[in-house]
Amino acid sequence: MNLDAVRTFVAAVDAGQFQDAAAALSITQQAVSKRIAALEKDLGVRLFTRTARGTHLTVDGQTFLPHARELLRAEARADASVRPGRRALRVDVHSRRIAPAVLLQDFHRAHPRIDLDVVTLDADVHAATAAVEAGTVDATFHAVTVAARHLPAAIRATRVIDEHHELLVGPRHALANARTVTPAQLAEHRIWMPGMAPGTEWADYYDELAAAFGLTIDLVGPVFGNEALLAEIADSAELATLAGVRTRYLWPDSYDLRRVPVRDPAPIYPMSLIWRDDNPHPALRALRDHLASRRAQAPDTDVWLPPWAE
């Protein structure tokens, strides 16, 4: 059904005459007559009777009128739902435990009037970028290991998170009481990170980190989830793992787990915000500005970055 014809029908009813409806719609009276005739043909009924005094609704026209008005209201709602700024900004954070989710929550506190739709695609940078390119999400956070010229033409990325590391150990571990540890010290200890998929950007990062400092990163073992990982580390004098400083873990007090900052130099996991350059959503600009200001507040010194991020 042609909505322009439906709109013309409603305008003719409200105006009382085709001539007045034409003026309201900024079209000719002939165009009004043609649209009404086409609508009547589509519906297979007469909507108006025409007399010297004007036009009057038939019984069918009276029956159709409330539905015509609802069609136009539905059109207006559909149009408004996707207008820039009218729908929620959809952002992928990959996991609700890690730094992007924490910073997005911080953005929400600073801009409570901006509607957010926070999703976790559980995808690597290539799949997440494809989702941005396809319009499934407005933005995503990932480490970008390729130069900007190798990204799809419409895609933009800028580094917004420099995530420091902490060593997570149980109370019997040799480094449990250290105030800080260096990457060189970690070379003597087993770092357990089971289930890290080869070929992902985070696997590339930890390969570079291990090579730079002679670390032993153990990927062996079934993955039973973060809770099981924490329980194993709490009960071990040898196991340790690495976590971002803003990664959110919860464990029972009885575990007595320790988070020890890694410094001198501080390894940095760099994450970028990825978005489409032609995305008109106004909240996307607000998010980019917020993340840029937060990163500028804490410049890093004496850090280590993988070669592709320098």
Side-chain angles (χ1 to χ4, degrees):
M1 187 177 298
N2 188 308
L3 287 178
D4 281 338
V6 174
R7 187 174 295 104
T8 302
F9 164 73
V10 172
V13 173
D14 292 342
Q17 294 190 16
F18 282 13
Q19 182 177 358
D20 293 338
L25 296 171
S26 298
I27 58 177
T28 65
Q29 184 174 342
Q30 183 180 20
V32 170
S33 297
K34 286 184 176 180
R35 290 182 183 181
I36 298 296
L39 182 60
E40 290 177 327
K41 183 177 179 180
D42 285 343
L43 295 173
V45 297
R46 290 182 62 196
L47 299 172
F48 289 101
T49 57
R50 299 161 181 81
T51 68
R53 293 184 176 182
T55 58
H56 303 278
L57 285 174
T58 65
V59 172
D60 288 322
Q62 293 172 11
T63 302
F64 180 63
L65 179 59
H67 301 289
R69 293 193 190 279
E70 180 56 32
L71 280 173
L72 297 182
R73 286 193 290 267
E75 179 199 27
R77 290 194 298 269
D79 179 75
S81 70
V82 294
R83 288 287 178 181
R86 295 299 298 272
R87 65 167 177 82
L89 182 73
R90 178 173 289 185
V91 184
D92 164 47
V93 295
H94 179 69
S95 168
R96 299 184 191 277
R97 294 181 183 272
I98 61 176
V102 175
L103 289 176
L104 201 59
Q105 187 176 11
D106 178 68
F107 171 72
H108 175 64
R109 292 192 187 102
H111 302 275
R113 294 184 180 277
I114 293 178
D115 289 331
L116 291 176
D117 182 9
V118 183
V119 300
T120 54
L121 296 182
D122 192 21
D124 67 7
V125 62
H126 306 294
T129 299
V132 172
E133 189 175 21
T136 305
V137 294
D138 292 302
T140 185
F141 292 88
H142 277 274
V144 178
T145 60
V146 299
R149 65 179 180 276
H150 296 306
L151 294 172
I155 295 297
R156 297 294 179 269
T158 187
R159 201 167 106 206
V160 294
I161 300 174
D162 288 345
E163 184 72 338
H164 287 263
H165 289 286
E166 292 175 329
L167 187 71
L168 187 59
V169 296
R172 296 190 295 121
H173 194 278
L175 298 174
N177 296 314
R179 296 185 64 181
T180 63
V181 297
T182 67
Q185 287 176 282
L186 297 184
E188 303 172 9
H189 299 275
R190 177 186 173 196
I191 300 171
W192 193 38
M193 307 184 78
M196 187 160 53
T200 56
E201 73 269 21
W202 43 88
D204 290 345
Y205 169 84
Y206 284 108
D207 284 346
E208 295 281 0
L209 180 64
F213 297 102
L215 306 186
T216 300
I217 298 180
D218 185 357
L219 309 182
V220 177
V223 180
F224 294 110
N226 287 313
E227 289 74 15
L229 174 70
L230 297 177
E232 290 286 343
I233 290 174
D235 195 43
S236 173
E238 296 180 355
L239 292 179
T241 195
L242 290 171
V245 296
R246 283 170 283 203
T247 299
R248 296 186 282 202
Y249 286 126
L250 295 175
W251 57 77
D253 290 342
S254 59
Y255 283 11
D256 195 19
L257 291 171
R258 318 292 174 81
R259 298 182 71 144
V260 185
V262 183
R263 295 285 184 267
D264 302 322
I268 295 294
Y269 189 85
M271 301 187 74
S272 295
L273 184 72
I274 303 169
W275 74 96
R276 278 190 68 104
D277 188 46
D278 57 357
N279 188 328
H281 202 301
L284 183 58
R285 167 58 69 178
L287 175 61
R288 289 169 53 199
D289 290 345
H290 177 83
L291 294 170
S293 66
R294 287 300 302 270
R295 184 164 182 255
Q297 289 174 11
D300 292 310
T301 58
D302 194 17
V303 300
W304 176 88
L305 285 162
W308 41 264
E310 294 177 346

